[in-house]
Amino acid sequence: MILARLLRLGICLAGAQAANIRTSSTTSASQPQSYIVEFSHTQDATSFYAQLAAQGISATPRLNMTYALFTSCSFDLKDMTPARIESAVEYIATLPNVTHIWSNAKRNGANDTWSTHLMAQVDLLRAQGISGKGVKVGIVDSGVDFNHPALGGCFGPGCLISYGHDFYENKTQPYDNCNGHGTHVAGILAAQSNNRYGLTGVAPGVTIGMYRVAGCTQSVDPDLAIMGINQAYDDGSDIISISSGFGARWSEDPVAVVMERIVEKGVICVAAAGNTAKQGLFPITGGSPAVGHGVASIASVVNTLVPQNLTVSSYTVDLTDNTTSEDFAWQVGFRNTSIPWAGIYPLYAISRDSNVTNDTCQPLPVDTPDLSNYVVLVRLGSACRYEEQSEHLGAKGAERVMFYGPSEITRGTDLFPVPAVAGVVPQSQGKEWVDILNSGHDVFLHFPATVDSNTANWTLVFSSNAITGGYVSVTSSWGLPLELDVKPTFSAPGANVLSTWPLDLGGYSIQSGTSMATPFAAGVYALLIEARKTKDPVVLQRILSSVAKPNLFNDGTITSSRLAPVAQQGAGLLQAFDAARVTTLLGVQTISFNDTDHFIKEVSFNITNTGTTDQAYQLGYVNTLTMYTFEDTVDWFLAGFPNPLAEGYASISFSSTSVTVPAGASLNVTVTATPPAGLDTGRLPVYGGYITLNSTSGENLSIPYAGVAGSMYNTPIVNPSNRGTYLERDFRNDFPPGAPANSTFTVPVPTSPTPPPEDELPPDVTIPGIHVGTTLGTEIVRLLVVPLEINGTLPTTDILGYKAAGEIPFSTGYIDGRQDVDIGFTGMLPDGTVVPEGRYEFRLLALRILGRLERAKDYQSLGYPFNIRYLPR
Ligand SMILES: *[C@@H]1O[C@H](CO)[C@@H](O)[C@H](O)[C@H]1NC(C)=O
Ligand SMILES: *[C@@H]1O[C@H](CO)[C@@H](O)[C@H](O)[C@H]1NC(C)=O
Ligand SMILES: *[C@@H]1O[C@H](CO)[C@@H](O)[C@H](O)[C@H]1NC(C)=O
Ligand SMILES: *[C@@H]1O[C@H](CO)[C@@H](O)[C@H](O)[C@H]1NC(C)=O
Ligand SMILES: *[C@@H]1O[C@H](CO)[C@@H](O)[C@H](O)[C@H]1NC(C)=O
Ligand SMILES: *[C@@H]1O[C@H](CO)[C@@H](O)[C@H](O)[C@H]1NC(C)=O
Ligand SMILES: *[C@@H]1O[C@H](CO)[C@@H](O)[C@H](O)[C@H]1NC(C)=O
Ligand SMILES: *[C@@H]1O[C@H](CO)[C@@H](O)[C@H](O)[C@H]1NC(C)=O
Ligand SMILES: *[C@@H]1O[C@H](CO)[C@@H](O)[C@H](O)[C@H]1NC(C)=O
Ligand SMILES: *[C@@H]1O[C@H](CO)[C@@H](O)[C@H](O)[C@H]1NC(C)=O
């Protein structure tokens, strides 16, 4: 027993922060746990509580239930770690007069304490019995394991998963037991409470239609998605949810077009914003269908309580008794098969201070023993990186390293402390071991034959996330779409989410991404349909947006004092309860001030008071961080997450800063904007903020706004610097700045327009080529071959004012930006013409954003001259 052990060691029970958890533990130290025990005799609860007190277990009595057929009491265990609760429960179960112990956790229909639900006020609506009853949600995804008990256990009318189709394999049932994605998504939306984790979906009262459009991998063909979306509409879905993204950032993309039409027909559509934040502003991937007008684009927020799936191994204290061991939970890191974990190792702590922040940052003292026979305990600190720590450990022969901290949330799989193998335990476990060592005892870690994932014991540990919990995920894709609509629309919990998984793959899984945030948002819409008795996508999107909660910017480590850009979080985190009861309706959802060329100075909107009392509103605004799209306007490289800050903000004025709207009436206000001044407009600063309306009846609303303090039209589509686009010395292998203008290339007389493989060219012969780097997306980029001075004649055609001998295909249809393309020219044009020797240029023509296809001046134009000669035949 853990209690016996720790008491014997003289460690204060309440102070010891064990992270010792058994396989079924799902509780958090922050939440009190409630239990019911049944007694075998008419035992007085007093003696029971006395027995607990004698073991140092502090239980708070709830009820004493003494009936003819049932003698029992209930109590709470508070302020205890999951491990302590677990062992206390185990202890109670062994008491001679106790016949049963049950959890007193709320059953179906009772209080919802699921952390993501608390974040978005879902619990408050669920407490009112609102569960999305009667709402039909069509999900377009990888199929679902409908045999899962938490997903109803069946398919067809009357089941939770009641309709749908398998378009991937053309089957009537959208079953999946190999992918998992759709099963996870379905559980977030509507998991039933009959599971051991306390997991329920946002709207367990809905019925789901599942349209399977993917196989066992995550790739989805657009045509299948289009079939799934249309069928979901034809089958009468009230909400359609898709957690996939397709390349284009253009609302003209077919998947986006389909969803836009469905929204116009009055059906709510939600789509994942994507997980490409690395690409910064105006990212290229995952845009469609989320960019579609009226489609709700969902960003992801990090769960405040992080579930971790950790491996369970055991430890003993001293070698006197190998039979009583305690469990500990750890994250297995790098596995090097030549250093097995299997065995029993004494633990060697480099520092005996568990608060140390510079552990092993310096070479270890000379008197350090050979560490190869130990598991070495080292704190992950702030003063140096784990790579430096491992170097110092390696110098002393360490082979097995157990890191701990610096928080309860372990990072482990990405640690590669070569030559050792590594694991990570939560901070509290490391501290417990250091405390035991400091009390003069030894700790031995026991590892089974394999710690490999499939055979090891595992446990779920829920730890609160003080660093990133509640902030937008660092991976969640940013806007804006190139047409400068305000997207994403809003955000929902999406990172570190536990949900259902195919039974064949384990039944439950923790996943992260906007894929997870999207069904959450669909669920919130379903609750609102029930609560507000309307399905109108425009009205509901305005309401959800007006009460969503914007948060500060967090880069994964540090939280800014300013709000995160609207281009990152949209209107903010969904707030279901406020959306259900707000009586003020706004006539706009978002305001785009567009760019400086198309600046929209003034916007008017209605404030409608549907309440029964007059409301006075105070109008104001708050700016978010402004960020640059480009690093600079010399090399024209696009910035990545987190984008560089721009110190300039919009100012907004109002026709009136305080207005009173009588009950049942509507009133118009006008906002006038001045975009930020003094910024480097070429770098394309994106600004934004929220117009705020605070009413005398306590309704706090906001309208997100955004704009670009620069010109989209003037922004180069093809990177004009010789770091991004250049003539190549060797078109396969060159690097910037490339070859000087008018370089001469002597090549074999060509037999094909396609450059031959490198090894078929004579040594030292390189054919001319061009490296093209694009920045933002465009509808078309053209690459012409234009003769400048040639020996002989060559027919040419006029292309947008250039006399071109031919055109090398560069792109067909829209390109999404941020591409690096190498194109070689053998001397033969695509039509088979071999051009005579002479001077030519590659002429790049890229259609500017919002430019017209047929208008030459709407193209960015760049020329790269070169000479071509032929080797003698
Ligand atoms: C169990 O209950 C009986 C009957 O009330 C009592 O005599 C006995 O002391 C109890 N045992 C313990 C360990 O409390
Ligand atoms: C139940 O019994 C315990 C122990 O005698 C006592 O402390 C507690 O106040 C009782 N609870 C109620 C609700 O009567
Ligand atoms: C259950 O939720 C209601 C509504 O929020 C709250 O008033 C009540 O205190 C909660 N009960 C418990 C035991 O948490
Ligand atoms: C799907 O299967 C049905 C029934 O077997 C068949 O009629 C239909 O042509 C199939 N569709 C496709 C696209 O293969
Ligand atoms: C406990 O196990 C260790 C390692 O196998 C062994 O050296 C030691 O003798 C054992 N102790 C007892 C009491 O069995
Ligand atoms: C470590 O830090 C905690 C929290 O700040 C503090 O309570 C404790 O006394 C510190 N321990 C040592 C050994 O300094
Ligand atoms: C580590 O930090 C402690 C406390 O800040 C300091 O006393 C000690 O000198 C540091 N050790 C090294 C090796 O830098
Ligand atoms: C898993 O846990 C069980 C029960 O504690 C134990 O018997 C078994 O050896 C463990 N297996 C591994 C691989 O650790
Ligand atoms: C911005 O202006 C352009 C050009 O008029 C227009 O095509 C685009 O739709 C505008 N964007 C928004 C969100 O109004
Ligand atoms: C935890 O990981 C183990 C091993 O990979 C896996 O079998 C199990 O299904 C996972 N559990 C959850 C809830 O993710």
Side-chain angles (χ1 to χ4, degrees):
M1 291 308 308
I2 185 167
L3 295 171
R5 150 97 46 230
L6 291 167
L7 291 173
R8 202 174 68 217
L9 286 172
I11 292 172
C12 166
L13 183 66
Q17 307 270 314
N20 172 328
I21 294 149
R22 290 186 199 281
T23 342
S24 62
S25 173
T26 61
T27 54
S28 144
S30 57
Q31 294 158 347
Q33 298 297 310
S34 187
Y35 293 90
I36 302 171
V37 290
E38 183 177 14
F39 300 120
S40 52
H41 310 283
T42 49
Q43 170 171 350
D44 180 356
T46 315
S47 77
F48 168 72
Y49 287 119
Q51 280 173 308
L52 299 196
Q55 291 294 326
I57 300 170
S58 102
T60 309
R62 289 169 66 93
L63 299 173
N64 300 323
M65 296 161 279
T66 309
Y67 294 98
L69 300 178
F70 192 71
T71 306
S72 67
C73 75
S74 61
F75 56 92
D76 290 331
L77 298 179
K78 290 184 189 155
D79 306 324
M80 293 168 74
T81 63
R84 294 289 172 238
I85 290 176
E86 195 87 33
S87 51
V89 168
E90 238 174 70
Y91 169 74
I92 292 166
T94 63
L95 289 176
N97 284 353
V98 169
T99 56
H100 286 106
I101 176 162
W102 294 277
S103 164
N104 191 30
K106 303 288 184 301
R107 305 293 198 274
N108 215 351
N111 281 11
D112 176 5
T113 56
W114 199 240
S115 60
T116 53
H117 294 187
L118 304 185
M119 292 167 72
Q121 299 181 329
V122 165
D123 59 311
L124 300 179
L125 282 185
R126 294 281 295 284
Q128 299 184 343
I130 292 170
S131 63
K133 285 181 287 295
V135 178
K136 291 176 71 177
V137 185
I139 300 177
V140 180
D141 211 295
S142 68
V144 58
D145 183 356
F146 44 71
N147 294 329
H148 199 299
L151 294 175
C154 59
F155 176 78
C159 298
L160 174 63
I161 317 286
S162 67
Y163 63 108
H165 187 74
D166 178 348
F167 286 105
Y168 187 78
E169 292 186 281
N170 194 21
K171 290 181 184 162
T172 53
Q173 300 197 339
Y175 177 70
D176 169 41
N177 70 344
C178 66
N179 185 311
H181 192 272
T183 303
H184 204 265
V185 159
I188 290 169
L189 171 65
Q192 309 295 298
S193 60
N194 56 341
N195 63 80
R196 62 196 146 121
Y197 295 113
L199 159 72
T200 64
V202 171
V206 301
T207 55
I208 293 179
M210 173 60 75
Y211 299 88
R212 182 174 184 238
V213 297
C216 301
T217 69
Q218 302 307 341
S219 76
V220 180
D221 293 328
D223 54 358
L224 289 183
I226 288 169
M227 284 172 79
I229 294 166
N230 278 299
Q231 193 64 46
Y233 173 72
D234 287 355
D235 291 346
S237 304
D238 302 307
I239 300 170
I240 300 173
S241 176
I242 181 165
S243 290
S244 312
F246 303 87
R249 301 300 298 178
W250 302 89
S251 56
E252 287 83 351
D253 180 80
V255 189
V257 166
V258 168
M259 276 211 146
E260 281 178 13
R261 286 189 195 152
I262 291 175
V263 174
E264 275 162 27
K265 290 286 178 202
V267 171
I268 294 158
C269 286
V270 294
N275 305 314
T276 60
K278 255 199 194 123
Q279 297 174 355
L281 289 156
F282 302 103
I284 64 166
T285 49
S288 164
V291 290
H293 304 297
V295 176
S297 165
I298 313 300
S300 158
V301 167
V302 181
N303 197 342
T304 52
L305 199 61
V306 174
Q308 304 182 82
N309 184 355
L310 301 180
T311 295
V312 179
S313 296
S314 62
Y315 70 93
T316 51
V317 177
D318 295 338
L319 272 187
T320 50
D321 181 4
N322 283 349
T323 53
T324 49
S325 67
E326 307 306 335
D327 288 344
F328 71 96
W330 62 299
Q331 173 86 59
V332 181
F334 177 61
R335 287 173 215 154
N336 173 346
T337 45
S338 70
I339 307 175
W341 278 103
I344 302 175
Y345 305 92
L347 189 70
Y348 184 92
I350 300 288
S351 171
R352 288 297 186 85
D353 173 5
S354 56
N355 290 348
V356 64
T357 57
N358 55 7
D359 198 358
T360 320
C361 289
Q362 300 290 325
L364 296 175
V366 282
D367 60 354
T368 307
D370 171 17
L371 295 177
S372 63
N373 295 319
Y374 294 93
V375 169
V376 189
L377 184 66
V378 179
R379 192 177 194 273
L380 282 172
S382 45
C384 63
R385 300 183 315 143
Y386 84 88
E387 289 93 334
E388 292 167 58
Q389 295 175 317
S390 350
E391 198 182 308
H392 302 142
L393 294 167
K396 293 292 176 187
E399 294 191 343
R400 296 171 189 82
V401 181
M402 192 64 82
F403 291 104
Y404 67 102
S407 80
E408 290 302 287
I409 300 168
T410 61
R411 62 176 274 238
T413 48
D414 61 335
L415 296 173
F416 296 87
V418 180
V421 289
V424 191
V425 290
Q427 168 74 21
S428 58
Q429 183 63 66
K431 183 181 183 308
E432 179 174 38
W433 284 337
V434 170
D435 288 348
I436 296 172
L437 295 172
N438 284 340
S439 71
H441 297 268
D442 294 325
V443 173
F444 294 84
L445 304 191
H446 300 236
F447 298 99
T450 171
V451 295
D452 187 66
S453 51
N454 295 329
T455 52
N457 290 327
W458 56 273
T459 183
L460 281 187
V461 178
F462 288 75
S463 305
S464 60
N465 180 353
I467 297 173
T468 59
Y471 300 105
V472 180
S473 314
V474 295
T475 50
S476 185
S477 292
W478 292 44
L480 302 173
L482 294 169
E483 288 127 331
L484 306 186
D485 301 281
V486 179
K487 296 254 178 156
T489 312
F490 17 70
S491 43
N496 306 312
V497 176
L498 177 71
S499 183
T500 45
W501 202 241
L503 295 173
D504 290 350
L505 303 179
Y508 294 89
S509 176
I510 302 155
Q511 300 284 316
S512 293
T514 55
S515 283
M516 284 65 240
T518 301
F520 193 103
V524 170
Y525 268 112
L527 298 178
L528 272 201
I529 288 178
E530 186 182 342
R532 296 197 72 113
K533 311 209 172 0
T534 173
K535 296 177 178 177
D536 187 325
V538 176
V539 168
L540 291 180
Q541 205 175 99
R542 282 182 190 159
I543 290 173
L544 282 168
S545 183
S546 70
V547 299
K549 205 159 73 185
N551 207 348
L552 301 175
F553 180 62
N554 175 287
D555 67 2
T557 315
I558 293 167
T559 301
S560 160
S561 56
R562 273 198 191 262
L563 291 169
V566 167
Q568 186 196 24
Q569 64 176 335
L573 181 57
L574 287 173
Q575 299 294 299
F577 187 67
D578 292 345
R581 65 179 178 163
V582 71
T583 62
T584 306
L585 304 184
L586 302 175
V588 288
Q589 186 217 325
T590 61
I591 297 175
S592 168
F593 293 120
N594 219 309
D595 66 358
T596 42
D597 295 337
H598 305 101
F599 181 58
I600 298 167
K601 195 170 170 45
E602 245 183 44
V603 176
S604 293
F605 60 89
N606 282 328
I607 306 172
T608 304
N609 175 6
T610 67
T612 50
T613 54
D614 300 358
Q615 294 190 67
Y617 300 85
Q618 192 67 39
L619 276 71
Y621 70 100
V622 50
N623 280 304
T624 67
L625 289 171
T626 304
M627 287 180 171
Y628 283 118
T629 306
F630 288 90
E631 290 288 359
D632 58 51
T633 53
V634 178
D635 288 341
W636 287 105
F637 286 135
L638 289 152
F641 179 95
N643 283 55
L645 298 180
E647 288 292 332
Y649 307 94
S651 46
I652 311 267
S653 58
F654 301 91
S655 49
S656 171
T657 55
S658 120
V659 295
T660 298
V661 186
S666 186
L667 204 138
N668 197 270
V669 292
T670 302
V671 301
T672 309
T674 312
L679 298 180
D680 185 347
T681 55
R683 291 173 69 191
L684 222 51
V686 177
Y687 64 92
Y690 300 90
I691 288 165
T692 57
L693 299 96
N694 298 328
S695 92
T696 39
S697 15
E699 296 196 341
N700 299 323
L701 299 102
S702 59
I703 303 169
Y705 60 83
V708 171
S711 162
M712 298 300 285
Y713 181 87
N714 289 333
T715 299
I717 299 299
V718 168
N719 183 335
S721 85
N722 62 12
R723 315 300 300 173
T725 303
Y726 47 89
L727 188 65
E728 294 178 303
R729 267 173 248 273
D730 172 350
F731 92 93
R732 291 187 180 90
N733 284 315
D734 206 8
F735 41 84
N742 298 309
S743 292
T744 299
F745 297 85
T746 306
V747 300
V749 175
T751 53
S752 159
T754 309
E758 219 162 345
D759 57 7
E760 286 176 20
L761 286 171
D764 301 334
V765 169
T766 62
I767 63 168
I770 184 164
H771 178 97
V772 184
T774 60
T775 60
L776 303 182
T778 181
E779 195 175 335
I780 191 166
V781 176
R782 303 181 73 167
L783 178 57
L784 315 182
V785 177
V786 176
L788 299 178
E789 293 168 50
I790 56 169
N791 308 332
T793 59
L794 183 61
T796 60
T797 340
D798 186 295
I799 298 180
L800 295 161
Y802 292 93
K803 293 194 165 36
E807 177 166 7
I808 304 175
F810 182 88
S811 67
T812 50
Y814 290 92
I815 70 159
D816 290 330
R818 281 166 217 242
Q819 296 184 354
D820 280 283
V821 184
D822 292 304
I823 295 177
F825 176 53
T826 59
M828 183 186 277
L829 292 164
D831 68 0
T833 308
V834 174
V835 304
E837 292 186 332
R839 195 160 77 90
Y840 293 83
E841 70 171 10
F842 290 125
R843 175 58 57 176
L844 275 167
L845 297 170
L847 185 62
R848 295 179 176 282
I849 290 175
L850 302 172
R852 290 223 303 269
L853 266 181
E854 70 287 357
R855 202 154 67 178
K857 77 175 190 60
D858 283 357
Y859 286 80
Q860 179 196 5
S861 174
L862 298 164
Y864 297 85
F866 61 93
N867 294 293
I868 194 162
R869 305 266 179 275
Y870 295 113
L871 291 167
R873 277 177 204 265

